Amino acid sequence: MDCHVAAPQEIGPFLLNQSLKWSWHHPAGRFHTLTWGTAIDHQMNVYLSAADGLRKFDKDGKQLWEVNVLPANLMNAPAIYQGSVFTSDTGGGVRAVSMQTGKPAWFTNTSKAICQDNGFTMVHEGVVFSAGDCRALNASDGEILWTFEPDVPVWNFLALFPDKETMIFQDMTGKIYRMSLGGQVLWKAGGKEGTWTDGGASLGNGMVFAVNNNHPFYSKEFSGEDTPGTLSAFDMDGHLRWQVTTPRPPNNAPAIGKVAGWPSMSLILPLCHQGWPGASCDVHAYDANTGGLRWVFHGPKQTGNFQAGDAEGVGDRLKSGLRPMCLPNGWSAPTISGDGTVFVGNEMGNLYALRDLDGDGRVFGDNEVSYFDTHGAFSGTATPALAGNMVAAAAGISHGWSENRHELDNPWF
């Protein structure tokens, strides 16, 4: 079962400030481009998607190749599958390039444009799923297999795969769709009509988890950081199992897995209203079986008008034909490692490692919270990637951390 952002077999370093192995930023300047997501292959190579293109690095941070996509912009996290890397861009193009060389395998223009949200290009059983006109493509040659129009638009699109025959996603109101890989709708459930969320769905523990805001964004009931949302759990037939109200807007896809200090499966959900000066940002852990709250981590508040690194480099990015600002989610999507540590990036630039070792319901103190300040906000798709005792995360700059080396390498200080 695809649990989206849990990595149950992989363990990353907890003491992030003592474990930086390498970092990269655009040679024209730290904030010359915007970074969106990472993926790690079986040889520990890291693939980084950025507004201006796709790059591959070896495990020591050496850049191996680069694919430039300008004048379009890359806006999503990459997927790797059977020797190729898959991405989509704002010009409506979906592409596959060789993992080995970066040379193009195919390019298909699926629509006039793909929105400048940040989602995930996903591949399953030879089918590529991309937002835009919500199209499914053949992974071998890019041929359009089918198109589907949901009841309302998708946002930060993420396709999930419970088995070999079906896929699941949610639209921007939190409604869940389960479809066959051939494009047939099997069921729809949940959601809040008229609302919008940056959040997404996740799979795990035999259930589908969806999030939505409880009030329309421009309604009089919407009060910013303290506007409640809803976390819902459905069984695989679309029947509601449980539902809880969140105190702040749920703004990313949850992660499902075992977390340190707690039995059975937990669900990790970031909560925050981004772009709101002074707004608080929390991470909640829920019992995946019942929705009961297990622990809370209180993250930093947005301290200025913009999130970390977003105002820097605006002129350079405009001159280069890139989107000028990220305006990211309050948190990246989270990752749960094999030892139960939660890795998640915050809008103010910190990458956190979190664990509730004593099970007291709050994550606090040096043995439960570790962080590294990247000085750049994390987008919603900047899910920390884990493999071989290494965590790779894309903020304003790309980083790789490893337990195997502890000398600091921080070229921008």
Side-chain angles (χ1 to χ4, degrees):
M1 179 166 291
D2 186 340
C3 294
H4 169 41
V5 287
Q9 304 304 317
E10 305 294 343
I11 297 175
F14 178 74
L15 297 175
L16 297 178
N17 260 328
Q18 300 176 27
S19 306
L20 184 64
K21 185 173 183 179
W22 60 266
S23 65
W24 174 90
H25 63 72
H26 195 284
R30 282 180 53 199
F31 301 108
H32 190 79
T33 189
L34 300 168
T35 56
W36 301 114
T38 54
I40 304 176
D41 68 19
H42 63 292
Q43 295 179 325
M44 302 294 293
N45 298 305
V46 178
Y47 302 84
L48 171 70
S49 61
D52 60 332
L54 181 69
R55 294 171 176 88
K56 178 181 179 180
F57 303 87
D58 70 13
K59 61 184 178 63
D60 297 314
K62 178 183 177 181
Q63 184 173 318
L64 302 178
W65 51 253
E66 176 180 330
V67 177
N68 190 298
V69 302
L70 296 174
N73 280 204
L74 256 183
M75 296 293 295
N76 53 49
I80 53 179
Y81 178 81
Q82 294 189 352
S84 294
V85 189
F86 299 84
T87 61
S88 60
D89 63 49
T90 57
V94 179
R95 61 172 43 78
V97 303
S98 166
M99 289 173 59
Q100 186 67 28
T101 65
K103 293 183 178 179
W106 53 258
F107 176 86
T108 300
N109 195 272
T110 64
S111 57
K112 292 182 179 179
I114 294 176
C115 290
Q116 290 196 30
D117 57 348
N118 47 87
F120 299 78
T121 301
M122 302 293 281
V123 190
H124 184 64
E125 294 296 313
V127 182
V128 181
F129 297 89
S130 174
D133 288 343
C134 271
R135 296 178 181 263
L137 295 85
N138 189 312
S140 299
D141 57 16
E143 176 189 3
I144 296 175
L145 300 177
W146 50 263
T147 64
F148 171 71
E149 184 176 346
D151 296 339
V152 297
V154 295
W155 191 258
N156 295 346
F157 176 74
L158 169 64
L160 303 164
F161 311 106
D163 51 40
K164 292 185 177 182
E165 291 81 32
T166 64
M167 59 89 75
I168 288 173
F169 68 95
Q170 79 161 55
D171 63 27
M172 69 181 187
T173 70
K175 181 184 293 184
I176 292 290
Y177 301 72
R178 186 171 186 180
M179 301 178 63
S180 73
L181 296 191
Q184 177 187 5
V185 177
L186 304 179
W187 54 260
K188 298 182 287 186
K192 177 76 170 179
E193 185 177 354
T195 63
W196 164 84
T197 179
D198 263 323
S202 285
L203 291 175
N205 207 39
M207 289 180 278
V208 185
F209 301 93
V211 298
N212 64 265
N213 278 318
N214 290 356
H215 302 290
F217 188 71
Y218 291 109
S219 68
K220 63 180 181 180
E221 296 87 2
F222 191 90
S223 59
E225 67 160 317
D226 294 323
T227 300
T230 297
L231 168 64
S232 304
F234 300 89
D235 65 25
M236 299 311 294
D237 293 322
H239 299 120
L240 183 67
R241 293 273 292 273
W242 55 259
Q243 197 170 66
V244 297
T245 299
T246 64
R248 294 188 172 93
N251 81 330
N252 219 312
I256 302 95
K258 293 282 189 70
V259 298
W262 290 85
S264 70
M265 300 288 276
S266 294
L267 183 141
I268 305 300
L269 181 62
L271 302 173
C272 189
H273 179 59
Q274 68 268 30
W276 197 279
S280 299
C281 291
D282 301 332
V283 179
H284 283 201
Y286 296 92
D287 185 327
N289 291 309
T290 66
L293 183 64
R294 289 186 155 177
W295 57 251
V296 175
F297 169 68
H298 297 293
K301 296 184 177 183
Q302 182 176 329
T303 57
N305 291 327
F306 301 102
Q307 292 129 306
D310 227 13
E312 296 88 339
V314 168
D316 289 342
R317 292 193 289 267
L318 282 172
K319 290 177 184 177
S320 299
L322 302 177
R323 172 174 169 165
M325 303 184 78
C326 177
L327 300 174
N329 300 29
W331 297 96
S332 75
T335 300
I336 304 172
S337 74
D339 65 356
T341 300
V342 175
F343 292 93
V344 63
N346 179 264
E347 64 182 3
M348 295 313 296
N350 289 346
L351 175 70
Y352 286 97
L354 308 173
R355 54 192 187 186
D356 183 23
L357 293 180
D358 57 13
D360 68 349
R362 66 171 189 159
V363 177
F364 182 81
D366 291 342
N367 67 333
E368 294 190 337
V369 180
S370 173
Y371 70 91
F372 182 89
D373 188 358
T374 71
H375 301 278
F378 288 76
S379 73
T381 50
T383 311
L386 289 170
N389 296 326
M390 182 173 76
V391 56
I397 306 165
S398 179
H399 305 282
W401 285 266
S402 173
E403 286 190 319
N404 301 322
R405 180 177 165 192
H406 295 290
E407 64 266 31
L408 290 177
D409 174 17
N410 221 351
W412 58 86
F413 289 149

